[in-house]
Amino acid sequence: EDVEPHVTEQGRKMFNEEFEEELKILTDIYEDRIKLVNPTTIQLALHPEDVEPHERFVGVELELSVPPSYPTDVASVKLLHPRGLSDTQLKSLRLEAEQTAVEAAEDEMTAIFSIVEVGSMNTGIYVASREVGLPIRPCI
């Protein structure tokens, strides 16, 4: 199914109004941490909120892509450039984010904000669960 993009007030070409609304809200909240990769994909840097920037040893970039039929169909979730998280933590985070996307699609509800909350909450939990908040794997 070919879907024609429409142009937003900011001059962006978007394919999906629900995604556009979520993007507006996320941009207001996360400002410089969110990037529109293309009309159907965003990337957002996730890290614990309660840690000073110079002490952020844990984080991941969340990439979310939506199909033209979103929110009826599932948003795609990728975790990029992990820092300080174990493979087990990354797998757990990815599975929880993917499950959130599937459940939202089943209910025909938007999922992007919920997926971002899952990622933000988990990166904070991973830091809080360690005594000194040092990374498990090297920070590159």
Side-chain angles (χ1 to χ4, degrees), residues 29-90:
I29 296 169
Y30 295 103
E31 299 172 356
D32 60 339
R33 292 174 34 197
I34 191 166
K35 175 173 68 172
L36 183 65
V37 176
N38 62 49
T40 62
T41 304
I42 61 168
Q43 290 179 344
L44 176 64
L46 297 177
H47 48 72
E49 297 296 323
D50 58 345
V51 178
E52 294 297 321
H54 66 279
E55 295 176 348
R56 288 186 184 144
F57 300 117
V58 175
V60 67
E61 194 164 313
L62 178 65
E63 182 176 277
L64 301 167
S65 298
V66 298
S69 54
Y70 174 83
T72 305
D73 287 331
V74 179
S76 162
V77 177
K78 290 183 183 177
L79 301 177
L80 308 171
H81 316 294
R83 289 183 326 272
L85 300 170
S86 71
D87 291 338
T88 302
Q89 290 169 328
L90 282 171

Side-chain angles (χ1 to χ4, degrees), residues 4 14 21 43 52 56-57 78 86 92-93 97 100 121 126 132 135:
E4 289 295 315
M14 298 295 287
E21 289 300 316
Q43 290 179 344
E52 294 297 321
R56 288 186 184 144
F57 300 117
K78 290 183 183 177
S86 71
S92 174
L93 176 57
T100 300
M121 181 181 70
Y126 296 144
V132 292

Side-chain angles (χ1 to χ4, degrees), residues 65-140:
S65 298
V66 298
S69 54
Y70 174 83
T72 305
D73 287 331
V74 179
S76 162
V77 177
K78 290 183 183 177
L79 301 177
L80 308 171
H81 316 294
R83 289 183 326 272
L85 300 170
S86 71
D87 291 338
T88 302
Q89 290 169 328
L90 282 171
K91 182 178 179 180
S92 174
L93 176 57
R94 182 182 48 79
L95 290 174
E96 189 173 350
E98 289 172 347
Q99 183 62 35
T100 300
V102 168
E103 289 171 1
E106 289 171 353
D107 294 336
E108 296 186 17
M109 296 178 61
T110 57
I112 303 301
F113 193 78
S114 297
I115 294 168
V116 168
E117 283 185 321
V118 163
S120 293
M121 181 181 70
N122 280 320
T123 55
I125 288 170
Y126 296 144
V127 168
S129 69
R130 302 183 53 78
E131 276 186 35
V132 292
L134 294 176
I136 291 172
R137 62 171 49 185
C139 298
I140 303 173

